[in-house]
Amino acid sequence: MEIISENRSHGGRQLVVKHASNSTSTDMTFSIFLPPQVENWPCPVLWYLSGLTCTHANVTEKGEYRAACAEHGVIFVAPDTSPRGEGVPDDAEGTYDFGLGAGFYVDATEEPWAANYRMWSYVTDELPTLIAAEFPADMDRQSITGHSMGGHGALTVALNHPDRFRSVSAFAPIVAPSQVPWGQKALAGYLGDDRAAWRRHDTVALIDDGASVDEILVDVGKSDPFIEKELRPELLEESCKAAGIPLTLRRHAGYDHSYYFISTFMADHIAWHAERLKRG
């Protein structure tokens, strides 16, 4: 494990870390903010999964989360969105919604992706194990959030691991990838044409199949250009209502898909998670 950079912020430490990953067979980079409270006791962890084209750097530089994390004593971890490096395959057409920067938080089974694109194993197993071993983290208290493709990842990870996470939220998530172009392209490319294999990576399908969490918080912008074709928050609303899962879905006039939107409501999400992370 190599610390690439370290900066003091809000009394805590913002690190960018690189390590060799067994899951992806590449070096992986993540950022982690350690609030000042870690000097006295292990702190709970909030995972943040980023969206298409992003690395760890987008939320680290634009997310405006450190003040809230320092206030509430929450460690904030932001992994990359895909494997990277020499020899890692990319989309032949160079599109932004598949390949590098677009791992979709699945373990690929199709060639040539299967050797490296194992982001599910990375974010659910390998990276948590590393965080537990190397940082003063209270792994009995974890929550998860994310944006767009990362919102999809956060929701599906939480629904597949309901006993691990105290809470789950999302910013503009892709809630039904099996039903929208971004998701159909990614799931078919990484997992093949058997749609049954897609269901554990589809929030709406998981809920319809009986998966559940205690509650969900979602924020979307009414001016998000992807809301009608790719995000489809109304499908999550319908599934949660049918399943009896409490959903707080907030639609904000004038806000789009960008980090201007995310940073506006980031402190709300951190406070919401912090309240649940403090419960016994």
Side-chain angles (χ1 to χ4, degrees), residues 121-280:
S121 291
Y122 180 70
V123 301
T124 64
D125 184 17
E126 183 176 10
L127 188 55
T129 299
L130 177 66
I131 297 299
E134 299 292 342
F135 298 97
D138 182 352
M139 302 303 282
D140 290 329
R141 294 187 293 156
Q142 299 182 63
S143 293
I144 191 166
T145 188
H147 169 234
S148 192
M149 178 186 72
H152 139 79
L155 291 167
T156 56
V157 167
L159 285 163
N160 278 281
H161 299 87
D163 295 332
R164 181 184 301 185
F165 298 98
R166 299 283 186 94
S167 52
V168 58
S169 73
F171 301 90
I174 305 167
V175 303
S178 300
Q179 301 183 50
V180 302
W182 277 346
Q184 290 167 346
K185 178 178 180 178
L187 296 179
Y190 294 133
L191 302 179
D193 294 330
D194 180 7
R195 286 179 170 253
W198 300 6
R199 295 188 72 82
R200 75 180 293 229
H201 298 291
D202 183 308
T203 297
V204 167
L206 280 163
I207 293 172
D208 291 348
D209 289 346
S212 185
V213 291
D214 289 341
E215 57 184 323
I216 299 172
L217 170 64
V218 169
D219 280 306
V220 296
K222 288 186 175 181
S223 295
D224 191 318
F226 307 112
I227 193 168
E228 293 183 2
K229 186 176 181 180
E230 304 286 4
L231 307 182
R232 305 291 305 278
E234 73 280 0
L235 298 179
L236 178 63
E237 199 167 32
E238 293 166 5
S239 288
C240 285
K241 183 177 180 180
I245 298 174
L247 169 68
T248 301
L249 175 58
R250 306 189 299 188
R251 296 175 170 91
H252 303 280
Y255 286 91
D256 57 18
H257 200 69
S258 72
Y259 270 90
Y260 295 109
F261 154 65
I262 299 166
S263 63
T264 300
F265 302 103
M266 180 65 85
D268 286 354
H269 281 240
I270 292 170
W272 186 83
H273 286 292
E275 179 183 347
R276 286 146 184 83
L277 287 165
K278 291 174 183 176
R279 294 174 183 172

Side-chain angles (χ1 to χ4, degrees), residues 1-5 14-19 27-33 47 55-57 60 76-80 122 127 130-131 134-135:
M1 192 182 79
E2 174 188 357
I3 296 176
I4 296 174
S5 66
Q14 176 65 63
L15 308 179
V16 175
V17 180
K18 182 171 72 172
H19 71 107
D27 285 345
M28 293 294 290
T29 302
F30 65 91
S31 78
I32 180 169
F33 176 69
W47 298 91
T55 69
H56 69 282
T60 305
F76 190 97
V77 182
D80 203 345
Y122 180 70
L127 188 55
L130 177 66
I131 297 299
E134 299 292 342
F135 298 97

